């Protein structure tokens, strides 16, 4: 049987990311792939709720799944139609339970069932997006928009990190071979090769020059982010000097830092924040992989040194092989920005998309941080069956409302009454969820807030359509 983190399954979290994708970009293509993912999510939830061993089901269906996938692929090849989109849908359909199974198998007690669903959905949907777009870059990069090149860097980086991750695992455990893992890596390599063949020599030379110019044009914002990173490393070094386990309040220092970095990025330069957050996420993933594998280079155990440095910040929810709360913090604040995308500039972003982009900052950077402060100072009365306090919940709600009000009165964001109302509703809902759920809130609350804001926009637009 698969081993989950000591918490409730959290089946309800499985709809958060698919709904967020549909609300942020309701294209026909995305609705088809998200519907495929939701069917798999429902299938796994039904199996687990009936206590069916997923490993046994997968072992019995593996060969049948592969044969059906190959047969349909060949059939469409014979018909002369473009088989690639359908092949990606079929492949991801059959890959979903295997990816989910491997996440739990190789990282026992690191995730609840619901958290593992979100991680699986994120990986497969991002992978699908990358293998769909990376092989066909813009025909002439010199004429491409900044957003197009930023997305190309981010998507190619995802495939590159996936391949490096597999190589690191092989280096540590060369006997560990999985067809599914090799399938993804070969597919990713093929897409990167296809991209290089489509790019001209001039385009290849243009990319590093563009990146250097991109940073130099934003040198003040870049320097500011570097200072924040140095402060983060300094705080880690200071806590390691004391050799004492960090408290919840100490960990909230990183919430303030991410708020300080992301808020200017959202308001001033979303392209920079989009690329920077993706790069930092890739670095975090590779660092955590080195730590969990206890990776060695020339006899030096880099993984153990990393573990010693970050071990003092280990949360009680990090009971498994992976330390996931820092990854969830970064993902929770970044996912709303990645979901909104770069279709418009920061100046032209509509107010609902702007508010949704701040979902992670408001719910985690502000709400969850002040919930911890309020719980520490006024935590005498607690919610039944939890270690969360009424005082913390009140602080969580109040801080988010005050932060939204400050954005409005300072002129930073001119939200309408409906957007403000959606953020207030989100503040009440995510504060109650923060108090009552045993899922890791760094991942859950931003998606919940994001959906509430965009659902409000959908209701408003539908009402206008119905009336008009």
């Amino acid at each position: 049987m698969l081993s989950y983190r000591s918490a409730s399954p959290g089946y309800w979290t499985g709809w958060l990311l698919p709904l967020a994708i549909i609300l942020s970009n309701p294209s026909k293509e995305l609705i088809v792939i998200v519907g495929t993912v939701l069917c798999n999510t429902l299938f796994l939830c039904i199996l687990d709720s009936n206590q069916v061993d997923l490993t046994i089901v997968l072992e019995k269906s593996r060969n049948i799944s592969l044969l059906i996938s190959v047969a349909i692929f060949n059939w469409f090849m014979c018909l002369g139609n473009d088989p690639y989109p359908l092949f990606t849908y079929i492949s991801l359909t059959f890959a979903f339970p295997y990816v989910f199974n491997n996440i739990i198998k190789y990282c026992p007690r690191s995730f609840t069932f619901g958290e593992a669903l979100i991680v699986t959905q994120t990986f497969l949907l991002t992978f699908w997006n990358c293998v769909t777009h990376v092989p066909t870059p813009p025909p002439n990069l010199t004429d491409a928009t900044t957003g197009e090149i930023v997305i190309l860097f981010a998507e190619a980086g995802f495939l590159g990190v996936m391949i490096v991750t597999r190589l690191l695992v092989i280096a540590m455990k060369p006997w560990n071979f999985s067809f599914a893992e090799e399938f993804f890596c070969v597919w990713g390599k093929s897409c990167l090769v296809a991209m290089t063949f489509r790019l001209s020599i001039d385009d290849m030379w243009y990319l590093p020059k563009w990146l250097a110019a991109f940073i130099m044009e934003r040198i003040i914002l870049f320097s500011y982010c570097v200072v924040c990173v140095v402060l983060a490393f300094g705080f880690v070094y200071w806590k390691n000097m004391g050799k004492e386990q960090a408290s919840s309040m100490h960990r909230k220092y990183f919430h303030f830092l991410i708020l300080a970095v992301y808020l200017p990025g959202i308001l001033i330069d979303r392209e920079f924040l989009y690329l920077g957050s993706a790069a930092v996420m890739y670095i975090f993933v590779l660092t955590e992989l080195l730590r969990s594998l206890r990776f060695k280079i020339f006899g030096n155990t880099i993984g153990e040194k990393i573990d010693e440095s970050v071990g003092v910040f280990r949360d009680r929810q990090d009971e498994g092989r992976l330390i996931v709360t820092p990854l969830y913090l970064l993902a929770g604040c970044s996912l709303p920005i990645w979901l909104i995308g770069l279709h418009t500039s920061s100046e032209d972003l509509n107010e609902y998309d702007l508010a949704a982009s701040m979902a992670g900052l408001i719910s985690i950077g502000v709400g969850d941080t002040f919930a911890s402060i309020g719980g520490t100072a006024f935590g005498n009365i607690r919610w039944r069956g939890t270690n969360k306090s009424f005082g913390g919940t009140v602080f969580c709600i109040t801080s988010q409302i005050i932060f939204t009000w400050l954005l409005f009165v300072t002129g930073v964001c001119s939200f309408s009454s409906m957007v403000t109302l959606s953020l207030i509703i989100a503040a009440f809902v995510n504060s109650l969820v923060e108090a009552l759920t045993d899922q890791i809130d760094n991942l859950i609350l931003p998606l919940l807030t994001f959906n509430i804001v965009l659902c409000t926009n959908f209701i408003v637009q539908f009402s206008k359509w119905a009336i008009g």
Side-chain angles (χ1 to χ4, degrees), residues 127 159 162-163 166-167 182-195:
F127 180 81
L159 295 178
M162 183 188 69
I163 294 168
R166 181 58 184 155
L167 292 175
E182 295 306 318
F183 174 75
F184 281 110
C185 287
V186 170
W187 197 350
K189 292 174 187 175
S190 302
C191 291
L192 291 176
V193 170
M195 180 189 73

Side-chain angles (χ1 to χ4, degrees), residues 57-104:
V57 175
L58 293 178
E59 286 296 329
K60 291 183 178 180
S61 63
R62 176 179 300 170
N63 296 329
I64 297 175
S65 301
L66 183 61
L67 287 173
I68 293 175
S69 179
V70 173
I72 295 179
F73 176 71
N74 290 330
W75 180 58
F76 270 81
M77 283 290 285
C78 294
L79 286 177
N81 296 325
D82 181 12
Y84 191 69
L86 182 67
F87 181 65
T88 58
Y89 296 144
I90 296 170
S91 299
L92 296 185
T93 297
F94 292 119
F96 193 98
Y98 291 104
V99 173
F100 179 89
N101 182 71
N102 283 344
I103 285 173
I104 301 300

Side-chain angles (χ1 to χ4, degrees), residues 441-455:
D441 44 28
N442 286 354
L443 183 64
I444 303 303
L445 299 188
L447 289 173
L448 186 63
T449 303
F450 184 91
N451 286 330
I452 291 173
V453 171
L454 291 190
C455 274

Side-chain angles (χ1 to χ4, degrees), residues 1 65 149 202 249 275 315 332 397 445 450 459 463:
M1 293 292 288
S65 301
I149 300 180
D202 292 337
M249 287 302 300
L275 184 58
D315 190 83
I397 296 171
L445 299 188
F450 184 91
I459 293 171
S463 300

Side-chain angles (χ1 to χ4, degrees), residues 285-319:
V285 169
L286 291 176
T287 302
E288 178 58 20
L289 181 68
L290 294 174
R291 186 204 65 82
S292 61
L293 290 176
R294 300 294 192 271
F295 195 79
K296 296 182 180 181
I297 297 180
F298 303 119
N300 297 315
T301 310
I302 296 177
E304 289 185 1
K305 293 181 179 179
I306 296 173
D307 189 54
E308 291 173 2
S309 299
V310 302
V312 295
F313 294 98
R314 196 174 189 120
D315 190 83
R316 59 181 177 79
Q317 294 174 311
D318 296 319
E319 62 184 63

Side-chain angles (χ1 to χ4, degrees), residues 35 40 68 314 326 328 383 466:
N40 277 275
I68 293 175
R314 196 174 189 120
Y328 284 172
W383 291 92

